[in-house]
């Protein structure tokens, strides 16, 4: 989820009667109530459970869709458990149906059933939960459905009740968009996401004032289905005569001003508001530094922030309006500007659980500064094993599909639990889609069924364009099935072997970027994969790579590459970090190690890591400091990134977030990938560290890092130039006779920085 939402309808925000159409009149009824914060809300309720043959319709007002193609409908409702209603056996239902009708304008108030397309049957996860005193408490359910692509100007939603006892507490309708952003000195306008889950919308950037397009490298970005900007390509550069540091600032100043303070204008706004009603100014906040905390915000309230800066040159103009709705328990917002002018606004929700990151832009001194809004805390992965009843876990995270919606076409592979087939899934009111269907073979044990469905319980928690998407499960029929989006090109290792040498480096790096983005998402959710390898990445027809193969730790046992190690358990040795092999320390940092191996597999078109070396030899070689060399034609920058992923000390390895950033930079500067000079900056490079490349001799450098006592050790071993020092590995440093671990680390970290600076700032290729 992200704050890139544009809300089209929010029934909770409406202060007056909703006045939706209800038919017949004794069916759905509009009732005023209070929510948990005692805010008045409108609800619709129906409870005709005693009478058979109910068919009660409720239709919203017309919803204009704007530019949206893919619309999200979020329903919050409570549903009575039929068992709790005496004397209703046979008539009472526990579901209702959601429909929509597309039209170009408002139609009359009559309701014709046959004009509606069904979106889904909505059921409660659980109508009741047990209270502390054993009493049964009504639970608020939240369900989200997606409709689209939509082609008309607007639509109606309709709710059909067939005899349940329902209170529809809130209906929210929204779409997602990528908000305008400045990247690489180019502005990218607000962009509505594409119509498909996996589609990216390519957007051309326009250079900011005083900047111009780099020759043959016009700026482009891609807006993802989640409203996130991805894969920047090309760039603008400051025109001659303007400050070339503009890149970091987002504009090309002729002069750099000093920031004196920020002024933050804060308005509380009323949602879905009368036209000429003014926003209420809530407060203005002034901050001497580049960060400020805004306290005492009301929960569940929309606020608009606008920021301007006061510098030596006077006040700038206010930037664009940045709208944020506080969470239910929100108490404070932090507005800050980290380093130079990236300003971060975070709304702190005390017990909030979301997520939301997006970028918009403000003007300061008539120039643009980047603003990022981030809600701290993130959705976390829940281990299905924590559920006593594995069936509940599956239904918590995966949709139960009706077997009649699935058409199996052919067998495409063999899975651990049964055949993997391809086929079609046709859900009511939706277009049919290609799917892969994993089946559970007949005669399974209860444990096998549990382990099989475990993958669905895990996959169902993820929603990211680079993680394989679960459509649903069939557990109530036979065979038991897991239905997944279809990935036309199968596993990445086989796909690369089949197309040996056929891709450009940029295409390969694009694949790696996708895998890293998927892994960043998984690690942000707290999920450790443990078996990341090219064979567990799937590729679709657009060459989009997605992480797959989810299971609990023991499921690794099914990987044919996994072998028993002396520490117990089966481990795919060639892909696994030393600490995970030695003492089963599996973390996102060990996933980063495996990611480095995947990079190597990709750049070598599916070569087997460590070729025909035995597993024992691999473990020994790694322990002695050996690392896989650069595959043929692999740019040194990429190999350097692999080496960073294979640092022995897991704290030294880059995070997935940094890896995505590094790969984006490479994609943005494709020319540098073509030459033997790498562009990869070690994630350890910190802009505030001195420029090591400016030192003229090894002695001068050692002096700067206060290690001059080792000058003779370097000379004796023949390291006379900084270039030769930059190639040193930790083993080389140790072999100089430097025994203090602290000094070894200090020297090595300085060498790594120097190496990165040489690669990045001066384009000096260093082969390690
Ligand atoms: P698995 O049990 O996940 O290892 O799947 C066995 C084989 O089935 C894989 O190696 C793939 O070739 C194929 N397969 C699995 N999932 C999919 C999918 N979503 N789309 C296409 N092929 C798949």
């Amino acid at each position: 989820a992200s704050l890139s939402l544009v809300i089209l309808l929010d029934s909770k925000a409406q202060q007056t009667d909703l006045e939706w159409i209800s038919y017949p009149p004794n069916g759905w009824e509009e009732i005023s109530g209070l929510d948990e914060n005692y805010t008045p809300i409108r609800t619709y309720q129906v409870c005709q459970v005693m009478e058979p043959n109910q068919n009660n319709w409720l239709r919203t007002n017309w919803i204009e869709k704007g530019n949206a193609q893919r619309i999200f409908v979020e329903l919050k409702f409570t549903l009575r458990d039929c068992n709790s209603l005496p004397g209703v056996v046979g008539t009472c239902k526990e579901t209702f149906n959601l429909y929509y009708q597309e039209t170009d304008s408002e139609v009359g108030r009559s309701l014709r059933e046959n004009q509606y397309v069904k979106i889904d049957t909505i059921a409660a996860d659980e109508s009741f939960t047990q209270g502390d005193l054993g009493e049964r408490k009504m639970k608020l359910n939240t369900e989200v459905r997606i409709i689209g692509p939509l082609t008309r100007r607007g639509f109606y939603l309709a709710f059909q009740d067939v005899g349940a006892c329902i209170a529809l507490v809130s209906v929210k309708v929204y779409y997602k968009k990528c908000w305008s952003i400045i990247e690489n000195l180019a502005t990218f306008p607000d962009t509505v996401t594409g119509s498909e889950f996996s589609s990216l919308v390519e957007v051309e950037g326009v250079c900011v004032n005083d900047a111009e397009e780099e020759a043959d490298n016009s700026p482009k970005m891609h807006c993802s289905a989640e409203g996130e900007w991805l894969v920047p390509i090309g760039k603008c550069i400051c025109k001659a005569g303007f400050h070339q540091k503009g890149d970091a600032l987002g504009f090309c100043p002729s002069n750099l001003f000093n920031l004196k303070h920020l002024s933050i204008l804060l308005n509380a706004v009323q949602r879905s508001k009368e036209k000429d009603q003014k926003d209420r100014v809530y407060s203005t906040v002034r901050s001497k530094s580049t960060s400020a905390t805004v306290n005492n915000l009301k929960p569940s309230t929309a606020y608009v922030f606008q920021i301007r800066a006061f510098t030596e040159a006077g006040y700038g103009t206010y930037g664009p309006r940045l709208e944020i709705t506080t969470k239910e328990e929100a108490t404070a917002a932090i507005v800050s500007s980290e380093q130079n002018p990236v300003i971060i606004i975070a709304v702190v929700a005390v017990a909030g659980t979301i997520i939301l990151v997006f970028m918009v832009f403000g003007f300061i001194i008539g120039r643009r500064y980047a603003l990022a809004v981030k809600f701290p805390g993130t959705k976390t992965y829940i281990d299905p094993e924590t559920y006593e009843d594995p069936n509940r876990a599956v239904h918590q995270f995966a949709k139960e599909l009706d077997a009649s919606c699935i058409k199996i076409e052919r067998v495409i592979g063999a899975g651990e639990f049964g055949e993997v087939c391809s086929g079609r899934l046709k859900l009511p009111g939706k277009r049919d889609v290609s799917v892969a269907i994993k089946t559970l073979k007949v005669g399974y044990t209860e444990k096998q069924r549990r382990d099989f469905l475990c993958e669905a319980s895990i996959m169902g928690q993820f929603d990211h364009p680079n993680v394989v998407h679960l459509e649903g499960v069939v557990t109530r029929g036979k065979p038991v099935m897991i239905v997944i989006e279809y990935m036309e090109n199968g596993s990445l290792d086989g796909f690369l072997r089949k197309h040996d040498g056929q891709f450009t480096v940029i295409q390969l790096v694009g694949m790696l970027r996708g895998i890293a983005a998927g892994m960043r998402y998984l690690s942000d959710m707290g999920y450790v994969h443990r078996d990341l390898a090219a064979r567990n990445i799937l590729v679709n027809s657009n060459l989009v790579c997605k992480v797959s193969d989810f299971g609990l730790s023991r499921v690794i046992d099914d990987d044919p590459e996994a072998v028993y190690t002396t520490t117990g358990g089966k481990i795919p040795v060639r892909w696994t970090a030393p600490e995970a092999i030695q003492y089963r320390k599996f973390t996102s940092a060990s996933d980063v190690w495996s990611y480095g191996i995947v990079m190597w597999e990709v750049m070598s078109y599916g070569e087997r890591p460590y070729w025909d070396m035995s597993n024992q030899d691999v473990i020994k070689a790694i322990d002695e400091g050996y690392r896989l060399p650069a595959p043929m034609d692999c740019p040194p920058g990429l190999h350097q990134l692999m080496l960073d992923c294979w640092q022995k000390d897991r704290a030294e390895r880059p995070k997935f977030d940094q890896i995505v950033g590094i790969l984006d930079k490479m994609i943005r500067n494709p020319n540098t990938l073509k030459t033997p000079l790498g562009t990869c900056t070690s994630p350890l490079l910190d802009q505030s560290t001195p420029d090591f490349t400016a030192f003229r001799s090894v002695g001068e450098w050692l002096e700067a890092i206060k290690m001059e006592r080792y000058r003779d050790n370097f000379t004796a071993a023949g390291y006379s130039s900084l270039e030769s020092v930059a190639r040193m590995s930790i083993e080389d440093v140790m072999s100089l006779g430097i025994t203090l671990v602290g000094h070894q680390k200090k020297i090595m970290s300085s060498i790594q920085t120097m190496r990165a600076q040489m690669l990045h700032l001066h384009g000096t290729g260093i082969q390690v």
Side-chain angles (χ1 to χ4, degrees), residues 185 238 242-253 256 340 687:
L185 293 174
C238 292
F242 290 87
H243 210 286
Q244 289 303 318
K245 275 248 166 82
D247 229 353
L249 300 172
F251 66 94
C252 296
L256 286 177
N340 42 20
Q687 297 294 343

Side-chain angles (χ1 to χ4, degrees), residues 412-422 435-438 455 468-469 484-491 493 535-536 538-539 548-550:
I412 53 168
E416 164 69 13
F417 296 96
E419 279 145 354
V420 182
C421 305
S422 66
V435 287
I437 303 148
K438 290 190 175 185
E455 180 172 21
V468 171
H469 172 73
I484 310 162
E485 68 174 310
Y486 187 55
M487 301 292 288
E488 293 82 351
N489 281 309
S491 313
D493 60 337
R535 65 185 168 279
N536 290 330
L538 292 170
V539 188
S548 98
D549 234 74
F550 303 104

